[in-house]
Amino acid sequence: MILGGASTWGSKEGPFCRETKQKKFPPIPKLKLCGPTRMGKTAIIFGYGSGISASVGKKFGSLGFRLALVSRSQMKLDLAAENLAKENITARGYAADLRNFSDVPSLVSRIRNDLGPVQLIHWNVGAPLGDVLSIDPNTWSEVFNITTISLSCAVQSCLSDLEFGKGAVLVTGSGLELDNPEYAKMAANRPVATMAVGKAATRKYVSILHHALEPKGVFVGEVAVLGPVKGAGEGHTDASITPEGIADKFHELWINRRNCFVEVSD
């Protein structure tokens, strides 16, 4: 998972009363469509790792998608691309820190130049951990930079391709984002309050984006994972939810293009 960084959220009148001058970023330009010789299917997987995103990559790579793998470690991404090549899947790694959301448009531009037009975004990005009673205000900025603002920049940067290719934006969600007392209690008693709030913001963005892009032929959907995933950490070796099963759900969303939200539980 990619963890995040900070931006200039506050101002003299801002929520945290920080006397900082907000940095202005240039508007995200609409990208020109690639020519006929570059047409094809490219999927960008943000937050690429060894679990859910790796299974999603294999699933869509087997369908002929070229894969752009994005995370912080170029070395790990290069190794992943080599392993995918052994399965006849074209993949290339792009090291990036999604705390810096202003870098996303140039990252997407590089990917398009290397692999062609983008037909699929898979957003599998995590967030910094933090306790609800002690989290630093700057960490909240990091959380929203990663979970929502960088996602918005990625979508806007790929919008022309997504509309032209009738593509999709698929997001990995979590039970923590749901308005459920049990999950709220979990977030209160563990250092995952930041994840819960960040994922909830992502879910609302996904819902709005779904309705905004549906008339344009672009599907937006989320798979919310309501439990531990096998192989995702210590103590999860016996979990009944598997990365492969989650990848299958994402593929169903891609094919059926109906329900905005689906859940996977044990």
Side-chain angles (χ1 to χ4, degrees), residues 98-138:
L98 295 178
R99 292 178 296 189
N100 305 316
F101 57 82
S102 60
D103 293 340
V104 173
S106 60
L107 170 64
V108 170
S109 180
R110 285 173 53 208
I111 291 171
R112 292 180 82 253
N113 288 335
D114 292 342
L115 300 177
V118 178
Q119 196 174 4
L120 173 64
I121 293 174
H122 177 220
W123 195 259
N124 187 64
V125 180
L129 297 180
D131 178 80
V132 70
L133 298 180
S134 60
I135 185 172
D136 185 272
N138 291 324

mmCIF file of all heavy atoms in Angstrom, residues 98-138:
data_model
loop_
_atom_site.group_PDB
_atom_site.id
_atom_site.type_symbol
_atom_site.label_atom_id
_atom_site.label_comp_id
_atom_site.label_asym_id
_atom_site.label_seq_id
_atom_site.Cartn_x
_atom_site.Cartn_y
_atom_site.Cartn_z
ATOM 1 N N LEU A 98 2.196 9.151 -3.768
ATOM 2 C CA LEU A 98 0.899 9.789 -4.000
ATOM 3 C C LEU A 98 0.530 10.811 -2.945
ATOM 4 O O LEU A 98 -0.567 11.376 -2.991
ATOM 5 C CB LEU A 98 -0.189 8.716 -4.127
ATOM 6 C CG LEU A 98 -0.024 7.816 -5.344
ATOM 7 C CD1 LEU A 98 -1.112 6.748 -5.366
ATOM 8 C CD2 LEU A 98 -0.031 8.612 -6.629
ATOM 9 N N ARG A 99 1.441 11.069 -2.017
ATOM 10 C CA ARG A 99 1.254 12.247 -1.175
ATOM 11 C C ARG A 99 1.300 13.503 -2.038
ATOM 12 O O ARG A 99 0.629 14.479 -1.752
ATOM 13 C CB ARG A 99 2.358 12.321 -0.110
ATOM 14 C CG ARG A 99 2.302 11.249 0.936
ATOM 15 C CD ARG A 99 3.446 11.356 1.908
ATOM 16 N NE ARG A 99 4.747 11.143 1.276
ATOM 17 C CZ ARG A 99 5.878 11.013 1.954
ATOM 18 N NH1 ARG A 99 5.872 11.063 3.278
ATOM 19 N NH2 ARG A 99 7.009 10.812 1.330
ATOM 20 N N ASN A 100 2.098 13.429 -3.079
ATOM 21 C CA ASN A 100 2.290 14.574 -3.961
ATOM 22 C C ASN A 100 1.301 14.491 -5.120
ATOM 23 O O ASN A 100 1.639 14.103 -6.230
ATOM 24 C CB ASN A 100 3.736 14.603 -4.476
ATOM 25 C CG ASN A 100 4.736 14.587 -3.335
ATOM 26 O OD1 ASN A 100 4.580 15.289 -2.341
ATOM 27 N ND2 ASN A 100 5.762 13.764 -3.466
ATOM 28 N N PHE A 101 0.063 14.865 -4.850
ATOM 29 C CA PHE A 101 -0.985 14.694 -5.855
ATOM 30 C C PHE A 101 -0.740 15.531 -7.105
ATOM 31 O O PHE A 101 -1.210 15.200 -8.181
ATOM 32 C CB PHE A 101 -2.362 15.026 -5.263
ATOM 33 C CG PHE A 101 -2.496 16.401 -4.681
ATOM 34 C CD1 PHE A 101 -2.758 17.499 -5.480
ATOM 35 C CD2 PHE A 101 -2.374 16.593 -3.309
ATOM 36 C CE1 PHE A 101 -2.897 18.764 -4.932
ATOM 37 C CE2 PHE A 101 -2.510 17.851 -2.757
ATOM 38 C CZ PHE A 101 -2.763 18.950 -3.570
ATOM 39 N N SER A 102 0.029 16.599 -6.970
ATOM 40 C CA SER A 102 0.304 17.442 -8.137
ATOM 41 C C SER A 102 1.206 16.745 -9.153
ATOM 42 O O SER A 102 1.325 17.194 -10.296
ATOM 43 C CB SER A 102 0.951 18.762 -7.703
ATOM 44 O OG SER A 102 2.182 18.525 -7.034
ATOM 45 N N ASP A 103 1.847 15.627 -8.747
ATOM 46 C CA ASP A 103 2.705 14.869 -9.672
ATOM 47 C C ASP A 103 1.925 13.859 -10.500
ATOM 48 O O ASP A 103 2.458 13.283 -11.454
ATOM 49 C CB ASP A 103 3.786 14.112 -8.892
ATOM 50 C CG ASP A 103 4.793 15.037 -8.231
ATOM 51 O OD1 ASP A 103 4.886 16.202 -8.662
ATOM 52 O OD2 ASP A 103 5.475 14.597 -7.281
ATOM 53 N N VAL A 104 0.664 13.627 -10.148
ATOM 54 C CA VAL A 104 -0.113 12.584 -10.819
ATOM 55 C C VAL A 104 -0.308 12.854 -12.315
ATOM 56 O O VAL A 104 -0.158 11.937 -13.126
ATOM 57 C CB VAL A 104 -1.461 12.371 -10.108
ATOM 58 C CG1 VAL A 104 -2.362 11.416 -10.891
ATOM 59 C CG2 VAL A 104 -1.225 11.826 -8.697
ATOM 60 N N PRO A 105 -0.653 14.083 -12.735
ATOM 61 C CA PRO A 105 -0.841 14.296 -14.176
ATOM 62 C C PRO A 105 0.393 13.966 -15.009
ATOM 63 O O PRO A 105 0.275 13.354 -16.078
ATOM 64 C CB PRO A 105 -1.185 15.789 -14.253
ATOM 65 C CG PRO A 105 -1.797 16.099 -12.933
ATOM 66 C CD PRO A 105 -1.040 15.273 -11.941
ATOM 67 N N SER A 106 1.583 14.344 -14.532
ATOM 68 C CA SER A 106 2.798 14.032 -15.297
ATOM 69 C C SER A 106 3.075 12.534 -15.282
ATOM 70 O O SER A 106 3.577 11.979 -16.264
ATOM 71 C CB SER A 106 4.000 14.805 -14.737
ATOM 72 O OG SER A 106 4.235 14.477 -13.375
ATOM 73 N N LEU A 107 2.740 11.864 -14.188
ATOM 74 C CA LEU A 107 2.890 10.410 -14.127
ATOM 75 C C LEU A 107 1.997 9.743 -15.162
ATOM 76 O O LEU A 107 2.435 8.858 -15.906
ATOM 77 C CB LEU A 107 2.526 9.921 -12.724
ATOM 78 C CG LEU A 107 2.397 8.402 -12.541
ATOM 79 C CD1 LEU A 107 3.723 7.716 -12.771
ATOM 80 C CD2 LEU A 107 1.850 8.080 -11.148
ATOM 81 N N VAL A 108 0.744 10.162 -15.232
ATOM 82 C CA VAL A 108 -0.185 9.593 -16.217
ATOM 83 C C VAL A 108 0.306 9.869 -17.631
ATOM 84 O O VAL A 108 0.222 8.996 -18.507
ATOM 85 C CB VAL A 108 -1.601 10.166 -16.014
ATOM 86 C CG1 VAL A 108 -2.506 9.781 -17.176
ATOM 87 C CG2 VAL A 108 -2.186 9.668 -14.699
ATOM 88 N N SER A 109 0.848 11.043 -17.860
ATOM 89 C CA SER A 109 1.369 11.380 -19.188
ATOM 90 C C SER A 109 2.503 10.436 -19.585
ATOM 91 O O SER A 109 2.564 9.966 -20.729
ATOM 92 C CB SER A 109 1.849 12.833 -19.200
ATOM 93 O OG SER A 109 2.347 13.185 -20.469
ATOM 94 N N ARG A 110 3.396 10.134 -18.663
ATOM 95 C CA ARG A 110 4.487 9.192 -18.935
ATOM 96 C C ARG A 110 3.946 7.817 -19.274
ATOM 97 O O ARG A 110 4.409 7.154 -20.213
ATOM 98 C CB ARG A 110 5.406 9.095 -17.722
ATOM 99 C CG ARG A 110 6.336 10.262 -17.501
ATOM 100 C CD ARG A 110 7.049 10.111 -16.171
ATOM 101 N NE ARG A 110 7.704 8.812 -16.053
ATOM 102 C CZ ARG A 110 7.929 8.191 -14.898
ATOM 103 N NH1 ARG A 110 7.499 8.721 -13.767
ATOM 104 N NH2 ARG A 110 8.549 7.027 -14.886
ATOM 105 N N ILE A 111 2.958 7.377 -18.508
ATOM 106 C CA ILE A 111 2.376 6.053 -18.733
ATOM 107 C C ILE A 111 1.729 5.983 -20.112
ATOM 108 O O ILE A 111 1.902 5.000 -20.853
ATOM 109 C CB ILE A 111 1.350 5.732 -17.630
ATOM 110 C CG1 ILE A 111 2.076 5.529 -16.294
ATOM 111 C CG2 ILE A 111 0.529 4.497 -17.992
ATOM 112 C CD1 ILE A 111 1.158 5.421 -15.097
ATOM 113 N N ARG A 112 1.009 7.016 -20.486
ATOM 114 C CA ARG A 112 0.357 7.029 -21.799
ATOM 115 C C ARG A 112 1.384 6.990 -22.920
ATOM 116 O O ARG A 112 1.204 6.311 -23.932
ATOM 117 C CB ARG A 112 -0.523 8.265 -21.957
ATOM 118 C CG ARG A 112 -1.747 8.293 -21.063
ATOM 119 C CD ARG A 112 -2.566 9.545 -21.287
ATOM 120 N NE ARG A 112 -3.444 9.400 -22.447
ATOM 121 C CZ ARG A 112 -3.260 9.993 -23.600
ATOM 122 N NH1 ARG A 112 -2.184 10.734 -23.813
ATOM 123 N NH2 ARG A 112 -4.130 9.817 -24.580
ATOM 124 N N ASN A 113 2.466 7.743 -22.738
ATOM 125 C CA ASN A 113 3.520 7.756 -23.762
ATOM 126 C C ASN A 113 4.183 6.390 -23.899
ATOM 127 O O ASN A 113 4.564 5.975 -24.997
ATOM 128 C CB ASN A 113 4.576 8.809 -23.421
ATOM 129 C CG ASN A 113 4.081 10.221 -23.630
ATOM 130 O OD1 ASN A 113 3.174 10.464 -24.424
ATOM 131 N ND2 ASN A 113 4.660 11.169 -22.926
ATOM 132 N N ASP A 114 4.307 5.683 -22.784
ATOM 133 C CA ASP A 114 4.974 4.374 -22.803
ATOM 134 C C ASP A 114 4.057 3.239 -23.243
ATOM 135 O O ASP A 114 4.478 2.350 -23.994
ATOM 136 C CB ASP A 114 5.515 4.044 -21.407
ATOM 137 C CG ASP A 114 6.653 4.947 -20.973
ATOM 138 O OD1 ASP A 114 7.265 5.595 -21.837
ATOM 139 O OD2 ASP A 114 6.920 5.006 -19.749
ATOM 140 N N LEU A 115 2.815 3.253 -22.767
ATOM 141 C CA LEU A 115 1.936 2.089 -22.924
ATOM 142 C C LEU A 115 0.675 2.341 -23.733
ATOM 143 O O LEU A 115 -0.022 1.397 -24.093
ATOM 144 C CB LEU A 115 1.543 1.556 -21.544
ATOM 145 C CG LEU A 115 2.692 1.092 -20.640
ATOM 146 C CD1 LEU A 115 2.157 0.667 -19.278
ATOM 147 C CD2 LEU A 115 3.467 -0.039 -21.292
ATOM 148 N N GLY A 116 0.357 3.602 -23.999
ATOM 149 C CA GLY A 116 -0.837 3.893 -24.778
ATOM 150 C C GLY A 116 -1.987 4.371 -23.912
ATOM 151 O O GLY A 116 -1.857 4.576 -22.706
ATOM 152 N N PRO A 117 -3.144 4.552 -24.523
ATOM 153 C CA PRO A 117 -4.302 5.130 -23.827
ATOM 154 C C PRO A 117 -4.789 4.260 -22.671
ATOM 155 O O PRO A 117 -4.713 3.036 -22.709
ATOM 156 C CB PRO A 117 -5.367 5.230 -24.924
ATOM 157 C CG PRO A 117 -4.957 4.225 -25.945
ATOM 158 C CD PRO A 117 -3.462 4.207 -25.922
ATOM 159 N N VAL A 118 -5.300 4.926 -21.660
ATOM 160 C CA VAL A 118 -5.713 4.257 -20.425
ATOM 161 C C VAL A 118 -7.204 3.934 -20.474
ATOM 162 O O VAL A 118 -8.034 4.829 -20.638
ATOM 163 C CB VAL A 118 -5.413 5.152 -19.205
ATOM 164 C CG1 VAL A 118 -5.882 4.468 -17.916
ATOM 165 C CG2 VAL A 118 -3.916 5.482 -19.139
ATOM 166 N N GLN A 119 -7.517 2.673 -20.309
ATOM 167 C CA GLN A 119 -8.913 2.251 -20.316
ATOM 168 C C GLN A 119 -9.401 1.837 -18.927
ATOM 169 O O GLN A 119 -10.607 1.740 -18.686
ATOM 170 C CB GLN A 119 -9.122 1.086 -21.284
ATOM 171 C CG GLN A 119 -10.591 0.853 -21.646
ATOM 172 C CD GLN A 119 -10.756 -0.208 -22.718
ATOM 173 O OE1 GLN A 119 -9.799 -0.829 -23.153
ATOM 174 N NE2 GLN A 119 -11.983 -0.414 -23.165
ATOM 175 N N LEU A 120 -8.464 1.634 -18.000
ATOM 176 C CA LEU A 120 -8.856 1.174 -16.669
ATOM 177 C C LEU A 120 -7.938 1.763 -15.609
ATOM 178 O O LEU A 120 -6.706 1.763 -15.760
ATOM 179 C CB LEU A 120 -8.784 -0.355 -16.608
ATOM 180 C CG LEU A 120 -9.011 -1.002 -15.247
ATOM 181 C CD1 LEU A 120 -10.425 -0.751 -14.745
ATOM 182 C CD2 LEU A 120 -8.712 -2.501 -15.306
ATOM 183 N N ILE A 121 -8.547 2.285 -14.549
ATOM 184 C CA ILE A 121 -7.821 2.686 -13.339
ATOM 185 C C ILE A 121 -8.252 1.759 -12.213
ATOM 186 O O ILE A 121 -9.443 1.594 -11.965
ATOM 187 C CB ILE A 121 -8.136 4.143 -12.950
ATOM 188 C CG1 ILE A 121 -7.584 5.124 -13.989
ATOM 189 C CG2 ILE A 121 -7.565 4.467 -11.567
ATOM 190 C CD1 ILE A 121 -8.000 6.571 -13.728
ATOM 191 N N HIS A 122 -7.275 1.147 -11.567
ATOM 192 C CA HIS A 122 -7.579 0.405 -10.329
ATOM 193 C C HIS A 122 -6.916 1.148 -9.173
ATOM 194 O O HIS A 122 -5.693 1.278 -9.125
ATOM 195 C CB HIS A 122 -7.060 -1.025 -10.394
ATOM 196 C CG HIS A 122 -7.306 -1.784 -9.116
ATOM 197 N ND1 HIS A 122 -6.380 -2.644 -8.572
ATOM 198 C CD2 HIS A 122 -8.358 -1.793 -8.252
ATOM 199 C CE1 HIS A 122 -6.856 -3.158 -7.449
ATOM 200 N NE2 HIS A 122 -8.048 -2.651 -7.235
ATOM 201 N N TRP A 123 -7.728 1.634 -8.237
ATOM 202 C CA TRP A 123 -7.222 2.412 -7.105
ATOM 203 C C TRP A 123 -7.225 1.506 -5.872
ATOM 204 O O TRP A 123 -8.259 1.165 -5.332
ATOM 205 C CB TRP A 123 -8.108 3.634 -6.879
ATOM 206 C CG TRP A 123 -7.476 4.655 -5.982
ATOM 207 C CD1 TRP A 123 -7.736 4.860 -4.664
ATOM 208 C CD2 TRP A 123 -6.485 5.610 -6.348
ATOM 209 N NE1 TRP A 123 -6.957 5.887 -4.178
ATOM 210 C CE2 TRP A 123 -6.178 6.365 -5.194
ATOM 211 C CE3 TRP A 123 -5.806 5.899 -7.546
ATOM 212 C CZ2 TRP A 123 -5.240 7.396 -5.206
ATOM 213 C CZ3 TRP A 123 -4.875 6.924 -7.539
ATOM 214 C CH2 TRP A 123 -4.594 7.658 -6.394
ATOM 215 N N ASN A 124 -6.008 1.145 -5.428
ATOM 216 C CA ASN A 124 -5.839 0.188 -4.343
ATOM 217 C C ASN A 124 -4.940 0.790 -3.263
ATOM 218 O O ASN A 124 -4.092 0.130 -2.693
ATOM 219 C CB ASN A 124 -5.224 -1.107 -4.897
ATOM 220 C CG ASN A 124 -5.163 -2.215 -3.875
ATOM 221 O OD1 ASN A 124 -6.183 -2.701 -3.400
ATOM 222 N ND2 ASN A 124 -3.949 -2.632 -3.527
ATOM 223 N N VAL A 125 -5.154 2.065 -2.994
ATOM 224 C CA VAL A 125 -4.228 2.835 -2.171
ATOM 225 C C VAL A 125 -4.711 2.906 -0.728
ATOM 226 O O VAL A 125 -5.894 3.133 -0.466
ATOM 227 C CB VAL A 125 -4.067 4.253 -2.746
ATOM 228 C CG1 VAL A 125 -3.110 5.076 -1.912
ATOM 229 C CG2 VAL A 125 -3.565 4.165 -4.190
ATOM 230 N N GLY A 126 -3.776 2.729 0.206
ATOM 231 C CA GLY A 126 -4.085 2.808 1.624
ATOM 232 C C GLY A 126 -3.904 4.208 2.164
ATOM 233 O O GLY A 126 -3.971 5.192 1.428
ATOM 234 N N ALA A 127 -3.664 4.333 3.453
ATOM 235 C CA ALA A 127 -3.502 5.636 4.091
ATOM 236 C C ALA A 127 -2.660 5.472 5.343
ATOM 237 O O ALA A 127 -2.540 4.368 5.879
ATOM 238 C CB ALA A 127 -4.878 6.227 4.442
ATOM 239 N N PRO A 128 -2.087 6.576 5.844
ATOM 240 C CA PRO A 128 -1.329 6.491 7.100
ATOM 241 C C PRO A 128 -2.222 6.038 8.244
ATOM 242 O O PRO A 128 -3.412 6.351 8.267
ATOM 243 C CB PRO A 128 -0.849 7.927 7.323
ATOM 244 C CG PRO A 128 -0.995 8.613 6.020
ATOM 245 C CD PRO A 128 -2.120 7.939 5.313
ATOM 246 N N LEU A 129 -1.645 5.328 9.195
ATOM 247 C CA LEU A 129 -2.400 4.907 10.369
ATOM 248 C C LEU A 129 -2.371 6.015 11.421
ATOM 249 O O LEU A 129 -1.426 6.792 11.500
ATOM 250 C CB LEU A 129 -1.803 3.620 10.941
ATOM 251 C CG LEU A 129 -1.843 2.394 10.029
ATOM 252 C CD1 LEU A 129 -1.208 1.199 10.728
ATOM 253 C CD2 LEU A 129 -3.260 2.072 9.602
ATOM 254 N N GLY A 130 -3.428 6.073 12.228
ATOM 255 C CA GLY A 130 -3.469 7.090 13.260
ATOM 256 C C GLY A 130 -4.616 6.865 14.227
ATOM 257 O O GLY A 130 -5.672 6.362 13.843
ATOM 258 N N ASP A 131 -4.371 7.242 15.482
ATOM 259 C CA ASP A 131 -5.388 7.133 16.523
ATOM 260 C C ASP A 131 -6.266 8.376 16.508
ATOM 261 O O ASP A 131 -5.780 9.499 16.370
ATOM 262 C CB ASP A 131 -4.710 6.986 17.885
ATOM 263 C CG ASP A 131 -5.705 6.920 19.024
ATOM 264 O OD1 ASP A 131 -6.265 5.838 19.245
ATOM 265 O OD2 ASP A 131 -5.927 7.964 19.676
ATOM 266 N N VAL A 132 -7.569 8.191 16.676
ATOM 267 C CA VAL A 132 -8.511 9.296 16.539
ATOM 268 C C VAL A 132 -8.286 10.398 17.576
ATOM 269 O O VAL A 132 -8.627 11.560 17.341
ATOM 270 C CB VAL A 132 -9.961 8.768 16.605
ATOM 271 C CG1 VAL A 132 -10.301 8.292 18.014
ATOM 272 C CG2 VAL A 132 -10.946 9.834 16.135
ATOM 273 N N LEU A 133 -7.700 10.068 18.724
ATOM 274 C CA LEU A 133 -7.522 11.053 19.789
ATOM 275 C C LEU A 133 -6.169 11.763 19.757
ATOM 276 O O LEU A 133 -5.980 12.759 20.467
ATOM 277 C CB LEU A 133 -7.691 10.378 21.161
ATOM 278 C CG LEU A 133 -9.066 9.768 21.433
ATOM 279 C CD1 LEU A 133 -9.090 9.146 22.825
ATOM 280 C CD2 LEU A 133 -10.166 10.822 21.299
ATOM 281 N N SER A 134 -5.248 11.260 18.951
ATOM 282 C CA SER A 134 -3.899 11.844 18.987
ATOM 283 C C SER A 134 -3.325 12.173 17.617
ATOM 284 O O SER A 134 -2.194 12.647 17.536
ATOM 285 C CB SER A 134 -2.942 10.883 19.707
ATOM 286 O OG SER A 134 -2.886 9.639 19.031
ATOM 287 N N ILE A 135 -4.073 11.968 16.569
ATOM 288 C CA ILE A 135 -3.522 12.190 15.232
ATOM 289 C C ILE A 135 -3.184 13.654 14.992
ATOM 290 O O ILE A 135 -3.925 14.562 15.395
ATOM 291 C CB ILE A 135 -4.502 11.681 14.148
ATOM 292 C CG1 ILE A 135 -3.871 11.805 12.760
ATOM 293 C CG2 ILE A 135 -5.825 12.407 14.223
ATOM 294 C CD1 ILE A 135 -4.685 11.146 11.688
ATOM 295 N N ASP A 136 -2.050 13.894 14.362
ATOM 296 C CA ASP A 136 -1.626 15.245 14.011
ATOM 297 C C ASP A 136 -2.479 15.770 12.860
ATOM 298 O O ASP A 136 -2.790 15.018 11.929
ATOM 299 C CB ASP A 136 -0.147 15.222 13.600
ATOM 300 C CG ASP A 136 0.391 16.600 13.327
ATOM 301 O OD1 ASP A 136 0.262 17.061 12.160
ATOM 302 O OD2 ASP A 136 0.920 17.223 14.262
ATOM 303 N N PRO A 137 -2.863 17.054 12.889
ATOM 304 C CA PRO A 137 -3.678 17.596 11.792
ATOM 305 C C PRO A 137 -3.043 17.436 10.416
ATOM 306 O O PRO A 137 -3.754 17.229 9.426
ATOM 307 C CB PRO A 137 -3.809 19.076 12.162
ATOM 308 C CG PRO A 137 -3.705 19.096 13.640
ATOM 309 C CD PRO A 137 -2.710 18.023 13.980
ATOM 310 N N ASN A 138 -1.704 17.497 10.355
ATOM 311 C CA ASN A 138 -1.047 17.335 9.055
ATOM 312 C C ASN A 138 -1.256 15.941 8.479
ATOM 313 O O ASN A 138 -1.285 15.758 7.259
ATOM 314 C CB ASN A 138 0.454 17.613 9.186
ATOM 315 C CG ASN A 138 0.746 19.065 9.450
ATOM 316 O OD1 ASN A 138 0.071 19.942 8.932
ATOM 317 N ND2 ASN A 138 1.744 19.325 10.278
#
